Every structure is written in structure tokens, then in C-alpha cells.
Amino acid sequence: MSDFRRVPTSDKFRQLQNAPRSLENDALMSSAVGSHVSSVASALGQTTEIAAFLVADTGKVRTVVSDRPAPPPFWQDDLAGLDTDYARNLVVLGVQDQVFASEVEALAVSLFEGAGWEGPGRISFGRGTLVGPYLLSPAERQALDLPEFTARVFLLEIVPQVGAVMPEPMRGVDPYMDAFTRGLPEGDYLVAVDGLRKVGRRLAGLVRVPDSGYLYVPEPDRVGAQTVYTKQWLSPQQLQNLWAGVFDQFELLGQTDDQYSLRAPAGNRSNVQIIVETADHVPLALRWESWIHEGVFSYQLLWLPEDVAAANEDPVRRSVRIERSRVLGQISQAANLLVANFQARVLDEDGFLL
């Protein structure tokens, strides 16, 4: 397993717990408070109210509070007595011991409208439900052929809509989809299993596919893009000035009234493509930000490897991993400069906040 370091949801929101509270009854509060914010309430251990944390135009955090009861803490408790025969027929998310149920729910909230706790051990996940966490016994872990690091599992309950099997010429491109040997997921099932792949990657976990028993262990640092959302528009020259200490040179690839694209050498043998444009769609993970209701711009930074085929291998070679790490370091530096100078938030390519 990778040494990927996560910041637990509870730690991310601890600094927000003492934010000044307001009971403003405006449309913003109505949209922010509800099932979307139960992850925050759970992380803070609240049992009588739900708090939504909003970032005002000043950049200061404020809290709006609903009198809607928060999910009882025991809803997140470990479940016991896993039916392994039943679990073998479902897509299973496996996580390490230090992963909290509130983190899984928070990531679900970032991916799906209306996601959140449905009841004890049940998290709404797209059109399906994640059931768990089940604390695994050694026998249960062995029955599912899971590695020792897997401490808990969540079961995806959803109608498995499938189509044709993966065509032979396409096999090897995506090992995760290859593993669905009974037929490729479609519709709501495809959306859910793809979402579970993203959650597994963010939590340095795994996903077990029922068709083949294949264990998909995504690399947490495999994501090769970040997008910054902000109200601030920078011209190509202004952006180059801001990032002069990160990238040595820039090439303007194209420009219109409301968008442009740059390319910059990065790492040892790579490039980064930068796409700046008006954000027609704002990801769900940003729906608590007060400023997203006005004009928002996106700054997308994409890793362009020298050898695309090598970069898409699973697992990737050590040399590619080192190069990717170098480039992602520069991408993070550039994104952080926007956050440091303007009101902005950074998301990875899976739609999760960084």
C-alpha cells in the first residue's frame, strides 16, 4: 500500500467548529442545511443540530444552523456479523482501520445530491446505499479474499444494471471495468461503481468486484489534475506573473473572450496544460460556498506525460510515479498560489476538495 496521508474529515472541520454562528433565514441557508451537511455534523459529534459551514465574500467562515436533528452518533458505529455469502455478490468498499465512517459519508456527499445517512449503518450513495461499516473478523476477511490492511467494509446495495461484456480489443485499458465479467455496468449502477472507485482512491482503500472477485486497489496519488474555482479572473499575462516561480516558461495555445489555454514544461519530461474558462458547472463539493452563486472561473491544471501509455499502466512504473509526483507537486504549488491570493477552492479530478 501507498504511504498516502489523509486528513480525517473531523480534523478538516475542527477549525470551523468555533466559527461565529448565524441563524439567517435566507435561500443560501436553506440550500446549505439538510442532508448535504450531515457529514459535517457527524464529524463534530453534534446530536441536536446540524451546522453548515459557509465561506463569505470576505473569506471568513461563518456557520448557519438548522434545528433539524443530526443523525445519532450510533448510526456510524461498526456493524458485526457480516454475511460473507451475501457480500460476495455485491460491490464492496474496503478501508483501513484509521478511516472513519464519517469520511466515507462526506465523500458520498461530495459526489451525489441528497447523499447522507439514511439510518444506522446506511449511507445514501447515488441511487444505491452503502451498508456498513462492518468490522471484519479474520475469518470474514479471508472469506472475501481481502488483504490484511482491510479493517472494515461497506457493501453497495443497488440494482446491478449491466450490458455487454468488455470487447476483447478494449480489455486491459481499465482493469476495474475489465473485472465486471458478467457485463459492463450501465446507468445508475455505472455511476455508483465509478463513485466507489473514487472513494476507494481517496481513502487509500480497495473495491472488490463481485463478478470476478477482483480486488481493485487504486493508487491514491494517481489523480493527475487539479481545478481551482474562484471569482477572480486573471489574464494570461497575470497568471504567468503569479506562477513565474513554479513554471519556467509558458506557451499560449489559444484564447477567446472568456477562456484561454496555456502549456508549461514541468517535471523532467512532462508538460502541464492550463485551461482557464468560465465555470458553467460548479461541482457539488462547493455547494456550501456563498460566492459560487455569482460568476465563477475555473483554472484546470492537467498533467501531460511524455509517454501517455506508460502513465496509464496499472500499476505504473517507478520512473513514471516519480515523474508524476514531481509534476503534481508543481500543480499543487500553482493551485495554492491562487488560494493564497484570492478567494478560491481546489478540487481534484474526482471532484473532492483538497
Side-chain angles (χ1 to χ4, degrees):
M1 285 298 296
S2 166
D3 290 332
F4 178 68
R5 294 174 60 85
R6 299 175 301 98
V7 178
T9 305
S10 53
D11 288 354
K12 293 176 183 178
F13 289 107
R14 186 173 292 122
Q15 61 176 311
L16 304 179
Q17 188 171 10
N18 297 320
R21 294 190 168 186
S22 168
L23 290 173
E24 299 170 22
N25 293 314
D26 54 18
L28 180 60
M29 185 184 81
S30 299
S31 66
V33 175
S35 60
H36 311 311
V37 297
S38 63
S39 62
V40 179
S42 301
L44 298 180
Q46 297 172 353
T47 57
T48 57
E49 59 187 20
I50 289 180
F53 298 104
L54 306 177
V55 180
D57 292 336
T58 60
K60 294 183 178 180
V61 174
R62 67 185 179 90
T63 309
V64 291
V65 180
S66 167
D67 58 5
R68 175 175 171 266
F74 71 84
W75 283 14
Q76 304 178 46
D77 289 350
D78 290 332
L79 305 179
L82 175 66
D83 184 340
T84 54
D85 290 333
Y86 177 64
R88 268 195 290 266
N89 292 305
L90 300 177
V91 182
V92 175
L93 170 69
V95 297
Q96 301 178 57
D97 187 52
Q98 64 268 35
V99 174
F100 303 112
S102 60
E103 295 178 78
V104 175
E105 190 250 2
L107 295 179
V109 167
S110 293
L111 291 175
F112 300 110
E113 192 73 57
W117 290 103
E118 295 179 338
R122 300 184 64 83
I123 301 171
S124 173
F125 194 81
R127 294 302 182 107
T129 300
L130 287 179
V131 182
Y134 284 95
L135 181 64
L136 295 176
S137 68
E140 291 166 345
R141 188 181 298 108
Q142 183 177 15
L144 294 175
D145 297 319
L146 299 176
E148 192 170 340
F149 76 80
T150 313
R152 293 173 176 81
V153 295
F154 292 80
L155 312 182
L156 176 63
E157 292 186 342
I158 190 172
V159 177
Q161 304 163 264
V162 298
V165 298
M166 178 74 76
E168 191 59 38
M170 296 290 291
R171 295 189 66 81
V173 176
D174 186 345
Y176 182 54
M177 286 298 154
D178 287 347
F180 289 89
T181 54
R182 298 172 192 163
L184 290 173
E186 294 183 339
D188 295 333
Y189 187 45
L190 174 60
V191 173
V193 299
D194 186 58
L196 215 56
R197 181 212 307 244
K198 295 175 180 179
V199 173
R201 174 160 46 217
R202 183 61 180 261
L203 297 177
L206 61 81
V207 181
R208 184 185 186 278
V209 178
D211 307 43
S212 56
Y214 176 75
L215 301 180
Y216 180 73
V217 185
E219 295 181 69
D221 60 350
R222 191 178 183 88
V223 175
Q226 294 182 18
T227 303
V228 182
Y229 291 87
T230 178
K231 291 169 58 177
Q232 182 66 46
W233 170 265
L234 296 178
S235 69
Q237 188 57 58
Q238 289 173 321
L239 192 62
Q240 291 177 55
N241 292 341
L242 179 67
W243 287 348
V246 180
F247 303 110
D248 293 334
Q249 61 187 69
F250 298 86
E251 177 187 357
L252 182 61
L253 301 179
Q255 182 175 10
T256 63
D257 290 340
D258 60 353
Q259 67 178 50
Y260 61 87
S261 178
L262 300 167
R263 183 168 57 203
N268 286 340
R269 304 174 304 279
S270 301
N271 287 285
V272 168
Q273 183 171 0
I274 302 126
I275 301 171
V276 182
E277 59 189 349
T278 301
D280 296 325
H281 168 73
V282 178
L284 285 176
L286 295 179
R287 60 186 177 271
W288 295 294
E289 309 290 351
S290 62
W291 47 269
I292 66 166
H293 301 284
E294 304 170 19
V296 177
F297 304 101
S298 64
Y299 294 73
Q300 186 177 28
L301 297 101
L302 304 164
W303 173 40
L304 300 180
E306 180 184 51
D307 187 338
V308 176
N312 288 326
E313 290 176 351
D314 191 7
V316 298
R317 285 172 270 171
R318 181 175 180 274
S319 59
V320 175
R321 186 178 294 109
I322 292 172
E323 175 70 359
R324 180 179 63 198
S325 179
R326 287 195 186 103
V327 176
L328 290 182
Q330 291 178 266
I331 286 176
S332 294
Q333 279 185 269
N336 289 338
L337 279 171
L338 282 170
V339 173
N341 285 276
F342 310 103
Q343 185 179 47
R345 297 302 297 266
V346 187
L347 275 68
D348 66 20
E349 67 185 49
D350 285 335
F352 298 135
L353 284 165
L354 295 174

